[in-house]
Amino acid sequence: STRKVGNVVVIDIEGKILLGEGDVEIKQAVDDLLAKGQTNVLLNLAKVPYIDSAGLGEIIRCFTAIRKKGGNLKLLAPNQRLIDLLTITKLVNVFDWYKDESTAVTSFSS
């Protein structure tokens, strides 16, 4: 589901993000937002217990698509496994990620 907080669109994701399960929905949601000119996107991962390489690949694709439109994609509440995955793949410094939503939303205006 998506909701707007100020000039940021928060995508609340629930469940695993795997090849063919969750990744397609994320792509569709981000593509819809970009079509509407929404380029500040926060992916809420608080209720995502597991993400595989295809899921991570889709998040990277979304990040790139949003950047090309002059926007930003940030991560909210990634679990330790995802942080480890980002560290291993050297992407931990590519993505901005936050533990709480208010800090994340505020970061878009700075």
Side-chain angles (χ1 to χ4, degrees):
S1 64
T2 62
R3 56 195 167 85
K4 202 149 187 304
V5 181
N7 68 335
V8 178
V9 177
V10 180
I11 301 176
D12 295 307
I13 304 167
E14 275 189 55
K16 298 176 181 175
I17 306 173
L18 310 169
L19 179 62
E21 181 185 327
D23 62 337
V24 177
E25 289 87 349
I26 293 169
K27 177 187 188 312
Q28 189 65 54
V30 169
D31 288 350
D32 289 350
L33 292 173
L34 287 176
K36 294 174 189 166
Q38 300 287 334
T39 56
N40 288 335
V41 179
L42 181 63
L43 281 186
N44 181 358
L45 302 169
K47 295 182 179 174
V48 177
Y50 182 81
I51 183 167
D52 72 359
S53 58
L56 182 60
E58 187 50 47
I59 291 173
I60 294 165
R61 188 207 67 82
C62 292
F63 177 83
T64 306
I66 290 169
R67 280 296 182 119
K68 282 183 183 166
K69 298 274 187 181
N72 214 332
L73 176 124
K74 300 182 183 188
L75 308 178
L76 174 63
N79 64 24
Q80 189 58 50
R81 188 181 184 293
L82 179 54
I83 293 167
D84 292 344
L85 188 60
L86 292 172
T87 304
I88 291 166
T89 56
K90 306 271 192 271
L91 293 168
V92 75
N93 297 325
V94 173
F95 289 101
D96 290 338
W97 55 275
Y98 301 87
K99 291 189 185 308
D100 70 281
E101 186 173 309
S102 60
T103 305
V105 169
T106 305
S107 76
F108 282 93
S109 54
S110 53

Coordinates of all heavy atoms in Angstrom, one line a residue, residues 2 48 55 81 91 98-99:
T2 N 0.4 2.3 -0.5 CA 1.1 3.6 -0.5 C 0.3 4.7 0.2 O -0.9 4.6 0.3 CB 1.4 4.1 -2.0 OG1 0.1 4.3 -2.6 CG2 2.2 3.1 -2.8
V48 N 9.0 -6.9 6.3 CA 9.6 -7.8 5.3 C 10.6 -8.7 6.0 O 11.7 -8.3 6.4 CB 10.3 -7.0 4.2 CG1 11.0 -7.9 3.2 CG2 9.3 -6.1 3.4
G55 N 14.7 -9.8 -5.4 CA 14.0 -8.7 -4.7 C 14.9 -7.5 -4.5 O 14.6 -6.4 -4.8
R81 N 19.2 -8.8 8.4 CA 19.6 -9.6 7.2 C 19.8 -8.8 6.0 O 20.7 -9.0 5.2 CB 18.6 -10.7 7.0 CG 19.0 -11.7 6.0 CD 18.0 -12.8 5.7 NE 18.5 -13.8 4.8 CZ 18.8 -13.5 3.5 NH1 18.6 -12.3 3.0 NH2 19.3 -14.5 2.7
L91 N 26.4 -2.3 -1.3 CA 25.4 -1.3 -1.6 C 24.9 -0.5 -0.3 O 24.1 0.4 -0.4 CB 24.1 -2.0 -2.1 CG 24.3 -2.7 -3.5 CD1 23.2 -3.6 -3.8 CD2 24.5 -1.6 -4.6
Y98 N 16.9 4.3 7.2 CA 16.6 4.9 8.5 C 15.8 3.9 9.3 O 15.1 3.0 8.8 CB 15.7 6.1 8.3 CG 16.5 7.2 7.5 CD1 16.4 7.1 6.1 CD2 17.2 8.1 8.1 CE1 17.1 8.1 5.3 CE2 17.9 9.1 7.3 CZ 17.9 9.0 5.9 OH 18.6 9.9 5.2
K99 N 15.9 4.0 10.6 CA 15.1 3.2 11.6 C 13.8 3.7 11.9 O 12.8 3.0 12.2 CB 15.9 3.0 12.9 CG 17.2 2.2 12.7 CD 17.8 1.8 14.0 CE 19.1 1.1 14.0 NZ 19.2 -0.1 13.2

